[in-house]
């Protein structure tokens, strides 16, 4: 085999059509061996002698895509000093574009003896660990281009590759649960008919099955246990772990883009699957432990952990920052994804101890001409001190709005004293974001997500039911802000079932008429249940997978969700780009403000209405002629106006529509509960009875069309 010098950049294994360049960063290394593995596990070791700026590199002209490889790094094993080099462990390439196999929980993966934790374990791990794979970068993208939906037009659908596709009857058995299945017409048709514009995939970076789950014959279903930041998870590949997972992932993205659907990845850069000091040595720990991980300052044998997983990446070293940026850029430029949701993003902002909005991570994101132009969404909390940072991220970022989730849940379970906070969430949470110059798109609004109850379970259970997880029912969140509608769990009582369906519709409708960016959990549109389990991270089975066999209530929920998404799409009044101000615009019909909060009597709410803890009803008026922002072509947007009637109380309530200056006649757009038919006309100041736990949306066209000035120097008008 010919061995050439190679280059120190780019890092990882890079096939150029003739051979492959290998480059690995390690400041701690004294020697590095590149190990090539045959199909039968035979290993050939090649001494890497060239090193520049702590990057060890070599070029092998004969190595082609599909070649499995790993590294053995020789250096200090001194846990007290922060160093854990161990050449008995075959290590993954941190920049591996594909990974073969799955690490077992074999003792050889650990650098200590299970019998005596102070004793070294030098058993070779190569037959029990994962292997890096050289891949071909070539793929025919055709005329693929990003859909590039503007944020305010976006509806996000959080989904799991396996969970969404595993039970679909129109997908062949052998491809279910794979990237191929995700790109199948049956799935894309469901997404397009639903009306979502982006799918947010739960982790698809290569992850590891946790040892404690393997021992219990369970699996890590969610995938928040990353080991490869460049590699698509191999268990979701139809062709297995030969490196074809890269091609399959690209084809999935291409198919979704053809349907005008963006692909957002849920990424986990805050920690790795190697865990704490008792974890396995798979990659980073054995390459350069002190450079990759945050260690306890005065006890470097232990890891500083703000994630609850055992370790946190060291965000103040240039090599970790480079790793993350190279990974993000790779997924955008080579894999064509459209954005990222960052798990436990507060950890990424911790250069020292505190969460810092001005940390280096945010600086390099801001100045990057590629990453700064895609959708960036933070989960704005971690488990460390001061980690809850909703509203605290820089202007470039959107955030999962935990305040929105909590308030909407409380309002619709009739909690007292939340009316004021509820109106803030409906209006886009300006109290959280406006002070930093951000707009409503900073708020990713959600009521449910993968972590917690589904929407159906939210209205069917008071308590978590996680016994299947094998942790005595003690895992998961105990305070769910849920209400079981009178009976815990499944019920055949028609009144209970009707109430649950109505309440689920109320939650979905609220989500889709709120200012900001809505995110729907996959299956909520079809009434998916997890049997009251609010922490299905280890349930890789039908408890978590999405069933496509729908009863009448589920079909009703699906139809209702489709209608609500269409209503939002057709009316800019529900997806403004600027915050509501409660002021009058000159162009507004009848000199009405852009938003008004009315009582059940149809007039503006009084101080007593706002302050009463028992007030659980309101009417929101949205003025479609008072949308200040123009379109990209400079046209001023004029839309229908809307009335949103909310009754979150347990009683039927009479609502009086506002006086004629708000509109002489209103039309029913959609509603929940025993309601008047869609299209029914209602007059100003008419009284209408609304059932307990219900919602009604009314619309009317502008009172007058806006006249164009004769001089030609005019502001154009676009009717929605």
């Amino acid at each position: 085999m010919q061995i050439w010098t190679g280059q120190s950049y780019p890092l990882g294994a890079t096939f150029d059509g003739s051979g492959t360049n290998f480059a690995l960063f390690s400041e701690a290394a004294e020697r590095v061996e590149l190990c090539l593995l045959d199909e039968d596990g035979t290993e050939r070791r090649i001494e890497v002698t060239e090193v520049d700026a702590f990057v060890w590199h070599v070029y092998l002209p004969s190595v082609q895509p599909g070649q499995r490889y790993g590294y053995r790094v020789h250096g200090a094993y001194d846990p007290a000093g922060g160093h854990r080099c161990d050449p008995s462990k075959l290590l993954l390439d941190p920049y591996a574009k594909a990974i073969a196999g799955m690490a077992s929980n074999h003792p050889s993966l650990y650098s200590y003896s299970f019998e005596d934790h102070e004793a070294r374990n030098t058993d070779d791990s190569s037959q029990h660990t994962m292997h890096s794979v050289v891949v071909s970068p070539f793929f025919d993208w055709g005329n693929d281009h990003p859909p590039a939906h503007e944020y305010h037009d976006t509806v996000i659908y959080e989904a799991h590759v396996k969970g969404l596709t595993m039970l679909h009857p129109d997908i062949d058995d052998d491809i279910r649960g794979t990237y191929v299945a995700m790109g199948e017409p049956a799935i894309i048709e469901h997404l397009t008919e639903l009306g979502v514009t982006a799918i947010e995939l739960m982790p698809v970076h290569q992850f590891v099955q946790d040892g404690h789950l393997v021992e219990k014959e369970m699996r890590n279903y969610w995938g928040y246990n990353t080991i490869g930041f460049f590699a698509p998870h191999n268990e979701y590949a139809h062709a297995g772990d030969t490196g074809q997972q890269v091609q399959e992932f690209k084809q999935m993205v291409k198919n979704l883009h053809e349907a005008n659907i963006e692909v957002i990845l849920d990424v986990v850069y805050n920690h790795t699957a190697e865990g704490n000091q008792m974890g396995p040595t798979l990659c980073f720990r054995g390459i350069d432990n002190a450079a990759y991980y945050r260690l306890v300052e005065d006890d470097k044998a232990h890891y500083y952990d703000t994630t609850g997983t055992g370790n946190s990446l060291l965000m103040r070293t240039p090599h970790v920052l480079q790793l993350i940026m190279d990974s993000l850029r790779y997924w955008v430029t080579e894999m064509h994804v459209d954005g990222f949701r960052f798990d436990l993003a507060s950890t990424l902002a911790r250069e020292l101890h505190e969460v810092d909005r001005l940390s280096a991570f945010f600086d390099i994101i801001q100045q990057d001409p590629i990453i700064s132009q895609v959708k960036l969404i933070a989960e704005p909390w971690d488990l460390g001190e001061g980690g809850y940072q909703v509203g605290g991220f820089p202007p470039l970022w959107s955030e999962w709005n935990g305040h929105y989730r909590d308030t909407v849940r409380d309002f619709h379970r009739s909690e007292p004293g939340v009316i004021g906070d509820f109106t803030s969430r409906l209006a886009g949470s300006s109290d959280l974001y406006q002070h930093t110059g951000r707009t409503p798109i900073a708020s990713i609004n959600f009521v449910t997500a993968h972590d917690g109850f589904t929407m159906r379970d939210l209205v069917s259970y008071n308590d978590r039911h996680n016994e299947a997880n094998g942790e005595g029912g003690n895992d998961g969140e105990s305070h769910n802000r849920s209400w079981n509608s009178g009976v815990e769990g499944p019920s055949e009582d028609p009144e209970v079932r009707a109430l649950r369906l109505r309440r689920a519709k109320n939650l979905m409708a609220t989500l889709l008429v709120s200012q900001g960016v809505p995110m729907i959990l996959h299956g909520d549109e079809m009434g998916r249940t997890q049997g009251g389990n609010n922490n299905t991270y280890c349930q890789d089975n039908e408890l978590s997978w999405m069933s496509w066999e729908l009863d009448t209530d589920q079909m009703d929920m699906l139809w209702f969700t489709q209608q609500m998404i269409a209503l939002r799409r057709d009316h800019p009044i529900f997806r403004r780009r600027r915050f509501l101000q409660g002021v009058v615009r000159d162009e507004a019909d009848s000199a009405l403000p852009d938003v008004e909060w009315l009582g059940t009597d149809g007039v503006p709410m009084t101080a007593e209405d706002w302050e009463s803890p028992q007030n659980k009803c309101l009417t929101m008026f949205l003025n479609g002629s008072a949308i200040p922002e123009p379109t990209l072509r400079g046209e001023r947007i004029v839309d229908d106006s809307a009335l949103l009637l909310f009754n979150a109380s347990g009683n039927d309530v009479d609502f009086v529509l506002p006086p004629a200056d708000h509109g002489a006649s209103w039309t029913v757009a959609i509603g929940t509960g025993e309601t008047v038919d869609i299209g029914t006309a209602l007059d100003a100041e008419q009284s209408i009875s609304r059932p307990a736990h219900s919602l009604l949306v009314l619309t009317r066209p502008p009172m007058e069309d806006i006249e164009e000035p004769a001089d030609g120097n005019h502001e154009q008008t676009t009717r929605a």
Side-chain angles (χ1 to χ4, degrees), residues 305-309 344 346-347 350 381-388:
D305 177 23
T306 60
T307 66
T309 61
L344 299 182
S346 291
T347 292
R350 294 181 185 272
W381 49 77
D382 65 15
L383 301 184
E385 182 180 351
Y388 192 76

Side-chain angles (χ1 to χ4, degrees), residues 580-649:
L580 295 159
Q581 300 294 324
V583 299
V584 176
R585 278 176 54 91
D586 291 341
E587 300 89 347
D589 54 18
S590 303
L592 297 170
D594 55 3
V595 63
E596 273 192 305
W597 306 102
L598 311 176
T600 57
D601 55 3
V603 300
M605 290 172 61
T606 64
E608 182 179 357
D609 292 331
W610 287 109
E611 295 167 4
S612 171
Q614 301 309 315
N615 184 14
K616 301 170 185 177
C617 300
L618 79 147
T619 298
M620 181 184 190
F621 167 73
L622 289 168
N623 189 348
S625 296
I627 303 176
E629 59 266 21
T631 68
L632 293 176
R633 298 189 301 272
E635 301 165 333
R636 192 172 70 79
I637 299 172
V638 177
D639 189 15
D640 293 348
S641 293
L643 280 180
L644 313 178
L645 281 60
F646 296 91
N647 179 11
S649 75

Side-chain angles (χ1 to χ4, degrees), residues 293-551:
Y293 292 119
R294 292 197 67 174
L295 307 177
V296 177
E297 198 63 36
D298 54 357
D299 183 11
K300 288 184 167 53
H302 292 85
Y303 295 81
Y304 185 86
D305 177 23
T306 60
T307 66
T309 61
N311 65 58
S312 303
L313 284 176
L314 184 58
M315 296 304 300
R316 64 175 181 264
T317 63
H319 300 290
V320 170
L321 293 172
Q322 180 185 6
L323 172 76
I324 295 174
M325 291 301 295
D326 285 349
S327 170
L328 293 171
R329 203 175 293 113
Y330 172 79
W331 286 96
V332 174
T333 59
E334 296 296 322
M335 308 295 264
H336 287 208
V337 304
D338 305 283
F340 305 94
R341 178 264 187 189
F342 293 78
D343 180 65
L344 299 182
S346 291
T347 292
L348 304 177
R350 294 181 185 272
E351 285 195 357
L352 298 174
H353 179 74
E354 295 82 8
V355 176
D356 182 5
R357 283 185 64 238
L358 302 179
S359 69
F361 174 70
F362 294 126
D363 290 345
I364 60 176
I365 291 284
Q366 180 72 39
Q367 60 80 41
D368 189 277
I370 295 173
I371 307 307
S372 65
Q373 299 306 303
V374 301
K375 290 181 170 66
L376 302 172
I377 302 169
E379 182 186 34
W381 49 77
D382 65 15
L383 301 184
E385 182 180 351
Y388 192 76
Q389 289 289 317
V390 174
F393 277 69
L396 191 64
W397 291 71
S398 296
E399 304 172 15
W400 272 25
N401 189 344
H403 285 311
Y404 181 94
R405 171 200 59 205
D406 296 346
T407 301
V408 170
R409 288 186 177 194
D410 278 346
F411 178 78
H412 282 296
R413 67 185 180 122
S414 299
E415 283 295 289
V418 298
I419 197 81
D421 202 16
F422 179 66
T423 59
S424 293
R425 303 310 140 228
L426 277 175
S429 297
S430 61
D431 57 324
L432 299 176
Y433 303 113
Q434 193 169 26
H435 68 284
T436 55
R438 290 197 275 176
T439 62
I441 64 170
S443 180
I444 303 297
N445 299 329
F446 68 106
V447 178
T448 55
H450 68 273
D451 186 1
F453 281 150
T454 65
M455 192 170 286
R456 177 173 171 179
D457 288 354
L458 192 66
V459 299
S460 304
Y461 294 90
N462 286 345
D463 304 306
R464 61 190 173 187
H465 295 268
N466 298 356
E467 291 74 19
N469 295 354
E471 300 180 37
N474 295 316
D475 61 300
E477 175 60 57
S478 59
H479 182 46
N480 295 288
R481 302 175 189 266
S482 62
W483 175 42
N484 64 16
S485 306
V487 177
E488 186 74 358
S491 174
E492 295 302 320
D493 186 325
E495 292 186 2
V496 172
R497 291 171 62 91
L499 176 58
R500 288 176 175 174
L501 178 59
R502 185 161 76 249
R503 293 183 57 227
K505 288 181 176 180
N506 291 341
L507 291 165
M508 185 66 76
T510 300
L511 177 64
L512 290 164
V513 297
S514 297
Q515 305 298 324
V517 182
M519 184 187 79
I520 299 170
L521 171 64
H522 82 203
D524 277 353
E525 77 278 15
M526 301 193 304
R528 183 175 71 92
T529 179
Q530 295 174 166
N533 191 319
N534 71 354
N535 190 33
T536 58
Y537 78 102
C538 59
Q539 298 297 327
D540 189 2
N541 51 52
E542 293 188 11
L543 183 65
S544 296
W545 301 342
M546 190 157 140
S547 173
W548 296 84
E549 296 182 5
L550 308 183
D551 61 25

Side-chain angles (χ1 to χ4, degrees), residues 6 111 118-119 139 144 198 225 296 310 481:
S111 293
E118 299 301 319
F139 178 78
D144 179 73
N225 203 28
V296 177
R481 302 175 189 266

Side-chain angles (χ1 to χ4, degrees), residues 600 645 654-659 664 666 676 680-689:
T600 57
L645 281 60
D654 290 334
F655 282 74
V656 177
L657 300 190
W666 295 87
V676 289
T680 298
L682 301 174
D683 296 329
E685 301 187 63
Q686 180 175 338
S687 178
I688 178 172
S689 179

